[in-house]
Amino acid sequence: MKSREAVLEALKEGKNLISSITGLQYTLINNILHTRHSERSDWNQSELSFYNPPSWLNLKIIEEV
């Protein structure tokens, strides 16, 4: 994604994001960032803050089929 703001806006819109490098998925649950490793695992609270550009540059929105 192009910016931290774009990431936060997508999450606020209810989009799920995925890292093209780590495969981690990101979502907001009760306005708290959560991650998971795959579709089968549970969501866990994340401490990632997206302040460092590499943390958002490799994220993309998971397209629903």
Side-chain angles (χ1 to χ4, degrees):
M1 301 201 80
K2 294 183 184 235
S3 69
R4 178 178 182 264
E5 291 74 23
V7 168
L8 296 175
E9 185 64 30
L11 289 168
K12 287 178 185 175
E13 290 175 359
K15 306 286 185 185
N16 289 342
L17 306 179
I18 190 167
S19 168
S20 59
I21 294 175
T22 65
L24 283 174
Q25 297 178 16
Y26 297 88
T27 194
L28 282 183
I29 299 173
N30 296 324
N31 286 322
I32 298 171
L33 184 65
H34 285 70
T35 60
R36 68 179 175 185
H37 291 284
S38 72
E39 288 291 328
R40 295 183 183 157
S41 65
D42 295 332
W43 290 102
N44 296 304
Q45 188 169 339
S46 173
E47 296 192 21
L48 185 63
S49 60
F50 301 118
Y51 287 118
N52 187 0
S55 67
W56 68 69
L57 290 175
N58 64 5
L59 293 177
K60 62 183 180 178
I61 295 173
I62 298 174
E63 300 295 331
E64 294 185 24
V65 201

Short mmCIF file of all heavy atoms in Angstrom, two decimals:
data_model
loop_
_atom_site.label_atom_id
_atom_site.label_comp_id
_atom_site.label_asym_id
_atom_site.label_seq_id
_atom_site.Cartn_x
_atom_site.Cartn_y
_atom_site.Cartn_z
N MET A 1 0.85 -1.16 0.00
CA MET A 1 0.00 0.00 0.00
C MET A 1 0.90 1.23 0.00
O MET A 1 2.06 1.15 0.37
CB MET A 1 -0.94 -0.04 1.18
CG MET A 1 -1.83 -1.29 1.18
SD MET A 1 -3.33 -1.15 2.16
CE MET A 1 -4.36 -0.24 1.06
N LYS A 2 0.35 2.34 -0.38
CA LYS A 2 1.17 3.53 -0.59
C LYS A 2 1.50 4.31 0.68
O LYS A 2 2.49 5.03 0.72
CB LYS A 2 0.49 4.46 -1.58
CG LYS A 2 0.40 3.85 -2.95
CD LYS A 2 -0.21 4.81 -3.92
CE LYS A 2 -0.37 4.12 -5.25
NZ LYS A 2 0.25 4.81 -6.33
N SER A 3 0.68 4.19 1.72
CA SER A 3 0.93 4.97 2.93
C SER A 3 0.29 4.31 4.14
O SER A 3 -0.59 3.45 4.01
CB SER A 3 0.36 6.39 2.78
OG SER A 3 -1.06 6.34 2.76
N ARG A 4 0.74 4.75 5.29
CA ARG A 4 0.16 4.28 6.56
C ARG A 4 -1.31 4.64 6.62
O ARG A 4 -2.15 3.86 7.06
CB ARG A 4 0.93 4.93 7.71
CG ARG A 4 0.40 4.58 9.08
CD ARG A 4 1.27 5.23 10.16
NE ARG A 4 0.81 4.88 11.46
CZ ARG A 4 -0.02 5.61 12.20
NH1 ARG A 4 -0.44 6.77 11.76
NH2 ARG A 4 -0.41 5.19 13.38
N GLU A 5 -1.63 5.84 6.13
CA GLU A 5 -3.03 6.30 6.14
C GLU A 5 -3.91 5.41 5.27
O GLU A 5 -5.05 5.13 5.62
CB GLU A 5 -3.11 7.76 5.68
CG GLU A 5 -2.52 8.75 6.65
CD GLU A 5 -0.98 8.76 6.69
OE1 GLU A 5 -0.33 8.33 5.70
OE2 GLU A 5 -0.43 9.18 7.73
N ALA A 6 -3.39 4.96 4.12
CA ALA A 6 -4.15 4.07 3.24
C ALA A 6 -4.42 2.73 3.93
O ALA A 6 -5.51 2.18 3.81
CB ALA A 6 -3.40 3.86 1.93
N VAL A 7 -3.43 2.24 4.66
CA VAL A 7 -3.61 0.99 5.41
C VAL A 7 -4.69 1.16 6.46
O VAL A 7 -5.62 0.35 6.57
CB VAL A 7 -2.28 0.57 6.08
CG1 VAL A 7 -2.52 -0.54 7.10
CG2 VAL A 7 -1.27 0.14 5.04
N LEU A 8 -4.60 2.22 7.25
CA LEU A 8 -5.57 2.44 8.33
C LEU A 8 -6.97 2.65 7.77
O LEU A 8 -7.95 2.15 8.34
CB LEU A 8 -5.13 3.61 9.20
CG LEU A 8 -3.81 3.39 9.94
CD1 LEU A 8 -3.40 4.66 10.68
CD2 LEU A 8 -3.89 2.22 10.89
N GLU A 9 -7.10 3.36 6.65
CA GLU A 9 -8.40 3.59 6.03
C GLU A 9 -9.01 2.28 5.55
O GLU A 9 -10.19 2.01 5.78
CB GLU A 9 -8.27 4.57 4.86
CG GLU A 9 -9.59 4.95 4.26
CD GLU A 9 -10.51 5.70 5.20
OE1 GLU A 9 -10.01 6.43 6.09
OE2 GLU A 9 -11.74 5.56 5.06
N ALA A 10 -8.21 1.43 4.92
CA ALA A 10 -8.70 0.14 4.45
C ALA A 10 -9.17 -0.72 5.62
O ALA A 10 -10.22 -1.37 5.55
CB ALA A 10 -7.62 -0.58 3.66
N LEU A 11 -8.39 -0.73 6.70
CA LEU A 11 -8.78 -1.51 7.88
C LEU A 11 -10.08 -0.97 8.47
O LEU A 11 -10.97 -1.74 8.84
CB LEU A 11 -7.66 -1.49 8.92
CG LEU A 11 -6.41 -2.30 8.56
CD1 LEU A 11 -5.28 -1.97 9.51
CD2 LEU A 11 -6.73 -3.79 8.57
N LYS A 12 -10.21 0.35 8.54
CA LYS A 12 -11.45 0.96 9.09
C LYS A 12 -12.65 0.64 8.22
O LYS A 12 -13.78 0.59 8.72
CB LYS A 12 -11.27 2.46 9.23
CG LYS A 12 -10.36 2.83 10.37
CD LYS A 12 -10.16 4.34 10.47
CE LYS A 12 -9.15 4.67 11.55
NZ LYS A 12 -8.85 6.10 11.60
N GLU A 13 -12.43 0.44 6.91
CA GLU A 13 -13.52 0.08 6.00
C GLU A 13 -13.88 -1.40 6.09
O GLU A 13 -14.75 -1.87 5.37
CB GLU A 13 -13.12 0.42 4.56
CG GLU A 13 -13.05 1.89 4.29
CD GLU A 13 -12.53 2.20 2.89
OE1 GLU A 13 -12.22 1.26 2.11
OE2 GLU A 13 -12.44 3.39 2.57
N GLY A 14 -13.19 -2.13 6.96
CA GLY A 14 -13.50 -3.54 7.15
C GLY A 14 -12.74 -4.48 6.22
O GLY A 14 -13.05 -5.66 6.15
N LYS A 15 -11.75 -3.95 5.51
CA LYS A 15 -10.95 -4.78 4.62
C LYS A 15 -9.94 -5.58 5.43
O LYS A 15 -9.45 -5.12 6.45
CB LYS A 15 -10.18 -3.92 3.61
CG LYS A 15 -11.03 -2.96 2.83
CD LYS A 15 -11.82 -3.67 1.79
CE LYS A 15 -12.56 -2.63 0.95
NZ LYS A 15 -13.45 -3.18 0.00
N ASN A 16 -9.64 -6.77 4.96
CA ASN A 16 -8.56 -7.57 5.53
C ASN A 16 -7.35 -7.39 4.63
O ASN A 16 -7.48 -7.37 3.41
CB ASN A 16 -8.94 -9.04 5.62
CG ASN A 16 -9.98 -9.29 6.68
OD1 ASN A 16 -10.20 -8.49 7.57
ND2 ASN A 16 -10.63 -10.43 6.59
N LEU A 17 -6.18 -7.28 5.24
CA LEU A 17 -4.94 -7.08 4.49
C LEU A 17 -4.04 -8.28 4.67
O LEU A 17 -4.14 -8.99 5.67
CB LEU A 17 -4.22 -5.82 4.99
CG LEU A 17 -5.04 -4.53 4.99
CD1 LEU A 17 -4.21 -3.39 5.54
CD2 LEU A 17 -5.54 -4.21 3.60
N ILE A 18 -3.14 -8.49 3.71
CA ILE A 18 -2.17 -9.57 3.80
C ILE A 18 -0.80 -9.06 3.39
O ILE A 18 -0.68 -8.22 2.49
CB ILE A 18 -2.60 -10.79 2.92
CG1 ILE A 18 -1.71 -11.99 3.22
CG2 ILE A 18 -2.62 -10.42 1.45
CD1 ILE A 18 -2.23 -13.30 2.66
N SER A 19 0.22 -9.53 4.08
CA SER A 19 1.59 -9.18 3.75
C SER A 19 2.07 -10.10 2.63
O SER A 19 1.99 -11.33 2.76
CB SER A 19 2.49 -9.34 4.97
OG SER A 19 3.85 -9.27 4.58
N SER A 20 2.60 -9.52 1.56
CA SER A 20 3.11 -10.34 0.46
C SER A 20 4.43 -11.00 0.83
O SER A 20 4.87 -11.90 0.14
CB SER A 20 3.27 -9.48 -0.79
OG SER A 20 4.16 -8.42 -0.55
N ILE A 21 5.05 -10.59 1.92
CA ILE A 21 6.33 -11.16 2.34
C ILE A 21 6.12 -12.24 3.40
O ILE A 21 6.61 -13.36 3.27
CB ILE A 21 7.28 -10.07 2.86
CG1 ILE A 21 7.65 -9.15 1.70
CG2 ILE A 21 8.53 -10.68 3.49
CD1 ILE A 21 8.48 -7.97 2.07
N THR A 22 5.38 -11.94 4.46
CA THR A 22 5.23 -12.89 5.57
C THR A 22 3.99 -13.75 5.47
O THR A 22 3.89 -14.79 6.13
CB THR A 22 5.17 -12.15 6.92
OG1 THR A 22 3.98 -11.35 6.95
CG2 THR A 22 6.40 -11.30 7.14
N GLY A 23 2.99 -13.32 4.69
CA GLY A 23 1.73 -14.04 4.60
C GLY A 23 0.80 -13.76 5.76
O GLY A 23 -0.30 -14.29 5.82
N LEU A 24 1.23 -12.90 6.70
CA LEU A 24 0.36 -12.54 7.82
C LEU A 24 -0.84 -11.74 7.32
O LEU A 24 -0.70 -10.89 6.43
CB LEU A 24 1.11 -11.70 8.85
CG LEU A 24 2.04 -12.43 9.79
CD1 LEU A 24 2.80 -11.43 10.65
CD2 LEU A 24 1.30 -13.41 10.66
N GLN A 25 -1.99 -12.02 7.91
CA GLN A 25 -3.20 -11.28 7.58
C GLN A 25 -3.49 -10.31 8.72
O GLN A 25 -3.20 -10.59 9.88
CB GLN A 25 -4.37 -12.23 7.41
CG GLN A 25 -4.17 -13.17 6.26
CD GLN A 25 -5.33 -14.14 6.13
OE1 GLN A 25 -6.40 -13.95 6.69
NE2 GLN A 25 -5.10 -15.20 5.37
N TYR A 26 -4.07 -9.15 8.37
CA TYR A 26 -4.37 -8.11 9.34
C TYR A 26 -5.83 -7.70 9.23
O TYR A 26 -6.37 -7.60 8.13
CB TYR A 26 -3.50 -6.87 9.10
CG TYR A 26 -2.03 -7.14 9.27
CD1 TYR A 26 -1.25 -7.58 8.21
CD2 TYR A 26 -1.42 -6.97 10.50
CE1 TYR A 26 0.09 -7.84 8.37
CE2 TYR A 26 -0.07 -7.23 10.67
CZ TYR A 26 0.68 -7.66 9.60
OH TYR A 26 2.01 -7.92 9.77
N THR A 27 -6.46 -7.45 10.39
CA THR A 27 -7.83 -6.96 10.43
C THR A 27 -8.02 -6.16 11.71
O THR A 27 -7.22 -6.26 12.64
CB THR A 27 -8.85 -8.11 10.36
OG1 THR A 27 -10.14 -7.58 10.08
CG2 THR A 27 -8.90 -8.91 11.65
N LEU A 28 -9.07 -5.35 11.75
CA LEU A 28 -9.43 -4.65 12.98
C LEU A 28 -10.59 -5.39 13.64
O LEU A 28 -11.57 -5.71 12.98
CB LEU A 28 -9.89 -3.22 12.68
CG LEU A 28 -8.83 -2.17 12.40
CD1 LEU A 28 -9.49 -0.80 12.20
CD2 LEU A 28 -7.81 -2.08 13.50
N ILE A 29 -10.45 -5.66 14.92
CA ILE A 29 -11.53 -6.24 15.72
C ILE A 29 -11.71 -5.32 16.92
O ILE A 29 -10.77 -5.11 17.68
CB ILE A 29 -11.18 -7.67 16.18
CG1 ILE A 29 -10.97 -8.59 14.97
CG2 ILE A 29 -12.28 -8.22 17.10
CD1 ILE A 29 -10.47 -9.98 15.31
N ASN A 30 -12.89 -4.72 17.02
CA ASN A 30 -13.16 -3.74 18.08
C ASN A 30 -12.11 -2.62 18.07
O ASN A 30 -11.61 -2.21 19.10
CB ASN A 30 -13.22 -4.40 19.45
CG ASN A 30 -14.36 -5.37 19.56
OD1 ASN A 30 -15.43 -5.14 19.01
ND2 ASN A 30 -14.14 -6.48 20.25
N ASN A 31 -11.76 -2.15 16.86
CA ASN A 31 -10.78 -1.07 16.66
C ASN A 31 -9.39 -1.40 17.18
O ASN A 31 -8.61 -0.50 17.49
CB ASN A 31 -11.27 0.25 17.25
CG ASN A 31 -12.36 0.86 16.41
OD1 ASN A 31 -12.32 0.78 15.18
ND2 ASN A 31 -13.34 1.46 17.05
N ILE A 32 -9.06 -2.68 17.30
CA ILE A 32 -7.73 -3.12 17.71
C ILE A 32 -7.18 -4.00 16.60
O ILE A 32 -7.86 -4.91 16.12
CB ILE A 32 -7.79 -3.91 19.04
CG1 ILE A 32 -8.33 -3.01 20.16
CG2 ILE A 32 -6.42 -4.45 19.42
CD1 ILE A 32 -8.63 -3.75 21.45
N LEU A 33 -5.95 -3.74 16.19
CA LEU A 33 -5.33 -4.50 15.12
C LEU A 33 -5.05 -5.93 15.56
O LEU A 33 -4.51 -6.16 16.64
CB LEU A 33 -4.01 -3.82 14.70
CG LEU A 33 -3.31 -4.46 13.52
CD1 LEU A 33 -4.15 -4.32 12.25
CD2 LEU A 33 -1.95 -3.82 13.33
N HIS A 34 -5.45 -6.87 14.72
CA HIS A 34 -5.22 -8.29 14.97
C HIS A 34 -4.54 -8.92 13.76
O HIS A 34 -4.71 -8.45 12.64
CB HIS A 34 -6.54 -9.02 15.23
CG HIS A 34 -7.11 -8.76 16.58
ND1 HIS A 34 -7.64 -7.55 16.95
CD2 HIS A 34 -7.23 -9.57 17.66
CE1 HIS A 34 -8.07 -7.63 18.20
NE2 HIS A 34 -7.83 -8.85 18.66
N THR A 35 -3.79 -10.00 14.00
CA THR A 35 -3.14 -10.74 12.92
C THR A 35 -3.44 -12.23 13.06
O THR A 35 -3.83 -12.70 14.12
CB THR A 35 -1.60 -10.58 12.97
OG1 THR A 35 -1.12 -11.08 14.21
CG2 THR A 35 -1.17 -9.16 12.78
N ARG A 36 -3.23 -12.92 11.94
CA ARG A 36 -3.27 -14.37 11.95
C ARG A 36 -2.37 -14.88 10.84
O ARG A 36 -2.08 -14.18 9.88
CB ARG A 36 -4.69 -14.92 11.83
CG ARG A 36 -5.36 -14.69 10.50
CD ARG A 36 -6.74 -15.31 10.53
NE ARG A 36 -7.46 -15.00 9.30
CZ ARG A 36 -8.71 -15.32 9.11
NH1 ARG A 36 -9.40 -15.93 10.05
NH2 ARG A 36 -9.30 -15.04 7.97
N HIS A 37 -1.97 -16.15 10.98
CA HIS A 37 -1.03 -16.73 10.03
C HIS A 37 -1.71 -17.40 8.84
O HIS A 37 -1.10 -17.55 7.81
CB HIS A 37 -0.11 -17.74 10.72
CG HIS A 37 0.84 -17.08 11.66
ND1 HIS A 37 1.95 -16.40 11.24
CD2 HIS A 37 0.84 -16.96 13.01
CE1 HIS A 37 2.59 -15.90 12.28
NE2 HIS A 37 1.94 -16.23 13.36
N SER A 38 -2.95 -17.80 8.99
CA SER A 38 -3.65 -18.45 7.89
C SER A 38 -5.15 -18.34 8.13
O SER A 38 -5.59 -17.91 9.18
CB SER A 38 -3.24 -19.91 7.76
OG SER A 38 -3.79 -20.66 8.82
N GLU A 39 -5.90 -18.78 7.15
CA GLU A 39 -7.37 -18.75 7.29
C GLU A 39 -7.86 -19.62 8.44
O GLU A 39 -8.92 -19.40 8.97
CB GLU A 39 -8.01 -19.22 5.98
CG GLU A 39 -7.89 -18.24 4.86
CD GLU A 39 -8.72 -16.98 5.08
OE1 GLU A 39 -9.79 -17.06 5.71
OE2 GLU A 39 -8.26 -15.93 4.63
N ARG A 40 -7.09 -20.61 8.84
CA ARG A 40 -7.55 -21.56 9.86
C ARG A 40 -7.18 -21.16 11.28
O ARG A 40 -7.70 -21.72 12.21
CB ARG A 40 -6.97 -22.93 9.56
CG ARG A 40 -7.49 -23.49 8.28
CD ARG A 40 -6.96 -24.86 8.04
NE ARG A 40 -7.43 -25.33 6.74
CZ ARG A 40 -6.86 -26.24 6.03
NH1 ARG A 40 -5.78 -26.83 6.48
NH2 ARG A 40 -7.34 -26.59 4.86
N SER A 41 -6.26 -20.23 11.45
CA SER A 41 -5.85 -19.89 12.81
C SER A 41 -6.69 -18.75 13.37
O SER A 41 -7.34 -18.01 12.63
CB SER A 41 -4.36 -19.53 12.84
OG SER A 41 -4.12 -18.36 12.09
N ASP A 42 -6.65 -18.62 14.67
CA ASP A 42 -7.39 -17.56 15.35
C ASP A 42 -6.69 -16.23 15.19
O ASP A 42 -5.49 -16.16 15.03
CB ASP A 42 -7.52 -17.88 16.85
CG ASP A 42 -8.35 -19.11 17.11
OD1 ASP A 42 -9.23 -19.42 16.28
OD2 ASP A 42 -8.12 -19.76 18.13
N TRP A 43 -7.47 -15.16 15.27
CA TRP A 43 -6.92 -13.81 15.26
C TRP A 43 -6.30 -13.51 16.62
O TRP A 43 -6.89 -13.81 17.65
CB TRP A 43 -8.01 -12.78 14.97
CG TRP A 43 -8.53 -12.82 13.57
CD1 TRP A 43 -9.69 -13.37 13.15
CD2 TRP A 43 -7.91 -12.27 12.41
NE1 TRP A 43 -9.84 -13.21 11.81
CE2 TRP A 43 -8.76 -12.53 11.32
CE3 TRP A 43 -6.71 -11.58 12.19
CZ2 TRP A 43 -8.45 -12.12 10.03
CZ3 TRP A 43 -6.42 -11.18 10.90
CH2 TRP A 43 -7.27 -11.44 9.83
N ASN A 44 -5.12 -12.90 16.62
CA ASN A 44 -4.43 -12.50 17.85
C ASN A 44 -4.12 -11.02 17.77
O ASN A 44 -3.80 -10.50 16.70
CB ASN A 44 -3.11 -13.28 18.01
CG ASN A 44 -3.36 -14.75 18.18
OD1 ASN A 44 -4.08 -15.16 19.06
ND2 ASN A 44 -2.79 -15.55 17.29
N GLN A 45 -4.20 -10.35 18.92
CA GLN A 45 -3.91 -8.92 18.94
C GLN A 45 -2.47 -8.67 18.50
O GLN A 45 -1.54 -9.36 18.90
CB GLN A 45 -4.13 -8.36 20.35
CG GLN A 45 -4.04 -6.85 20.38
CD GLN A 45 -4.50 -6.28 21.70
OE1 GLN A 45 -5.24 -6.92 22.44
NE2 GLN A 45 -4.08 -5.09 22.01
N SER A 46 -2.31 -7.66 17.65
CA SER A 46 -0.99 -7.32 17.10
C SER A 46 -0.49 -6.03 17.72
O SER A 46 -1.28 -5.16 18.06
CB SER A 46 -1.11 -7.13 15.58
OG SER A 46 0.11 -6.64 15.06
N GLU A 47 0.81 -5.91 17.83
CA GLU A 47 1.40 -4.66 18.32
C GLU A 47 2.02 -3.85 17.19
O GLU A 47 2.66 -2.84 17.43
CB GLU A 47 2.42 -4.98 19.40
CG GLU A 47 1.76 -5.62 20.61
CD GLU A 47 2.65 -5.69 21.82
OE1 GLU A 47 3.63 -4.93 21.90
OE2 GLU A 47 2.36 -6.52 22.68
N LEU A 48 1.81 -4.28 15.93
CA LEU A 48 2.33 -3.55 14.79
C LEU A 48 1.65 -2.19 14.70
O LEU A 48 0.44 -2.09 14.85
CB LEU A 48 2.09 -4.34 13.51
CG LEU A 48 2.69 -3.78 12.24
CD1 LEU A 48 4.21 -3.74 12.33
CD2 LEU A 48 2.25 -4.60 11.05
N SER A 49 2.43 -1.14 14.44
CA SER A 49 1.86 0.20 14.40
C SER A 49 1.94 0.86 13.03
O SER A 49 1.41 1.93 12.83
CB SER A 49 2.56 1.09 15.42
OG SER A 49 3.94 1.15 15.11
N PHE A 50 2.60 0.21 12.06
CA PHE A 50 2.73 0.74 10.71
C PHE A 50 3.46 2.08 10.66
O PHE A 50 3.21 2.90 9.80
CB PHE A 50 1.36 0.88 10.02
CG PHE A 50 0.61 -0.41 9.90
CD1 PHE A 50 -0.61 -0.57 10.53
CD2 PHE A 50 1.11 -1.46 9.17
CE1 PHE A 50 -1.32 -1.75 10.42
CE2 PHE A 50 0.41 -2.65 9.05
CZ PHE A 50 -0.80 -2.80 9.68
N TYR A 51 4.37 2.34 11.59
CA TYR A 51 5.14 3.58 11.55
C TYR A 51 6.34 3.48 10.61
O TYR A 51 6.86 4.47 10.14
CB TYR A 51 5.62 3.98 12.95
CG TYR A 51 4.51 4.48 13.81
CD1 TYR A 51 4.17 3.83 14.99
CD2 TYR A 51 3.77 5.60 13.46
CE1 TYR A 51 3.12 4.28 15.78
CE2 TYR A 51 2.72 6.05 14.23
CZ TYR A 51 2.41 5.38 15.39
OH TYR A 51 1.37 5.82 16.17
N ASN A 52 6.79 2.27 10.33
CA ASN A 52 7.95 2.04 9.49
C ASN A 52 7.47 1.70 8.08
O ASN A 52 6.70 0.76 7.91
CB ASN A 52 8.75 0.88 10.09
CG ASN A 52 10.06 0.66 9.41
OD1 ASN A 52 10.41 1.36 8.47
ND2 ASN A 52 10.78 -0.33 9.87
N PRO A 53 7.89 2.44 7.04
CA PRO A 53 7.37 2.20 5.69
C PRO A 53 7.38 0.73 5.23
O PRO A 53 6.40 0.30 4.63
CB PRO A 53 8.26 3.07 4.80
CG PRO A 53 8.63 4.20 5.69
CD PRO A 53 8.79 3.58 7.06
N PRO A 54 8.43 -0.07 5.49
CA PRO A 54 8.35 -1.45 5.03
C PRO A 54 7.16 -2.22 5.60
O PRO A 54 6.71 -3.19 5.02
CB PRO A 54 9.68 -2.06 5.49
CG PRO A 54 10.61 -0.91 5.57
CD PRO A 54 9.75 0.24 6.03
N SER A 55 6.64 -1.77 6.74
CA SER A 55 5.52 -2.49 7.35
C SER A 55 4.22 -2.28 6.59
O SER A 55 3.29 -3.05 6.76
CB SER A 55 5.36 -2.10 8.82
OG SER A 55 4.95 -0.77 8.95
N TRP A 56 4.11 -1.28 5.75
CA TRP A 56 2.88 -1.13 4.97
C TRP A 56 3.11 -1.28 3.47
O TRP A 56 2.19 -1.57 2.73
CB TRP A 56 2.18 0.19 5.26
CG TRP A 56 2.87 1.43 4.80
CD1 TRP A 56 3.07 1.84 3.50
CD2 TRP A 56 3.45 2.43 5.61
NE1 TRP A 56 3.74 3.01 3.48
CE2 TRP A 56 4.00 3.41 4.76
CE3 TRP A 56 3.58 2.60 6.97
CZ2 TRP A 56 4.64 4.53 5.23
CZ3 TRP A 56 4.23 3.73 7.44
CH2 TRP A 56 4.74 4.66 6.58
N LEU A 57 4.33 -1.12 3.01
CA LEU A 57 4.58 -1.19 1.57
C LEU A 57 4.29 -2.57 0.98
O LEU A 57 3.95 -2.68 -0.19
CB LEU A 57 6.03 -0.80 1.27
CG LEU A 57 6.35 0.67 1.48
CD1 LEU A 57 7.84 0.92 1.27
CD2 LEU A 57 5.53 1.56 0.56
N ASN A 58 4.40 -3.63 1.78
CA ASN A 58 4.16 -4.97 1.26
C ASN A 58 2.75 -5.49 1.55
O ASN A 58 2.48 -6.66 1.34
CB ASN A 58 5.21 -5.95 1.79
CG ASN A 58 5.14 -6.13 3.29
OD1 ASN A 58 4.24 -5.61 3.94
ND2 ASN A 58 6.06 -6.87 3.86
N LEU A 59 1.86 -4.62 2.01
CA LEU A 59 0.49 -5.05 2.31
C LEU A 59 -0.42 -4.85 1.11
O LEU A 59 -0.26 -3.90 0.35
CB LEU A 59 -0.07 -4.27 3.49
CG LEU A 59 0.59 -4.51 4.84
CD1 LEU A 59 -0.02 -3.61 5.89
CD2 LEU A 59 0.49 -5.96 5.25
N LYS A 60 -1.37 -5.76 0.96
CA LYS A 60 -2.40 -5.61 -0.07
C LYS A 60 -3.73 -6.07 0.50
O LYS A 60 -3.77 -6.86 1.45
CB LYS A 60 -2.03 -6.36 -1.33
CG LYS A 60 -1.90 -7.85 -1.15
CD LYS A 60 -1.47 -8.51 -2.44
CE LYS A 60 -1.35 -10.01 -2.22
NZ LYS A 60 -0.98 -10.71 -3.42
N ILE A 61 -4.80 -5.57 -0.07
CA ILE A 61 -6.14 -5.93 0.37
C ILE A 61 -6.45 -7.33 -0.13
O ILE A 61 -6.17 -7.68 -1.28
CB ILE A 61 -7.18 -4.93 -0.18
CG1 ILE A 61 -6.93 -3.54 0.45
CG2 ILE A 61 -8.60 -5.41 0.09
CD1 ILE A 61 -7.78 -2.44 -0.13
N ILE A 62 -7.01 -8.16 0.76
CA ILE A 62 -7.44 -9.50 0.37
C ILE A 62 -8.77 -9.34 -0.38
O ILE A 62 -9.74 -8.85 0.19
CB ILE A 62 -7.62 -10.40 1.60
CG1 ILE A 62 -6.28 -10.58 2.34
CG2 ILE A 62 -8.21 -11.75 1.18
CD1 ILE A 62 -6.40 -11.33 3.64
N GLU A 63 -8.76 -9.73 -1.62
CA GLU A 63 -9.97 -9.62 -2.43
C GLU A 63 -10.88 -10.79 -2.13
O GLU A 63 -10.45 -11.94 -2.09
CB GLU A 63 -9.61 -9.62 -3.92
CG GLU A 63 -8.71 -8.48 -4.33
CD GLU A 63 -9.36 -7.11 -4.20
OE1 GLU A 63 -10.60 -7.03 -4.32
OE2 GLU A 63 -8.62 -6.15 -3.94
N GLU A 64 -12.14 -10.48 -1.90
CA GLU A 64 -13.13 -11.54 -1.66
C GLU A 64 -13.57 -12.12 -2.98
O GLU A 64 -13.72 -11.42 -3.97
CB GLU A 64 -14.32 -10.98 -0.89
CG GLU A 64 -13.93 -10.55 0.51
CD GLU A 64 -15.13 -10.12 1.32
OE1 GLU A 64 -16.24 -10.56 1.00
OE2 GLU A 64 -14.93 -9.36 2.26
N VAL A 65 -13.78 -13.42 -3.00
CA VAL A 65 -14.16 -14.10 -4.24
C VAL A 65 -15.65 -14.23 -4.34
O VAL A 65 -16.35 -14.39 -3.43
CB VAL A 65 -13.53 -15.51 -4.31
CG1 VAL A 65 -13.48 -15.96 -5.75
CG2 VAL A 65 -12.18 -15.56 -3.68
#
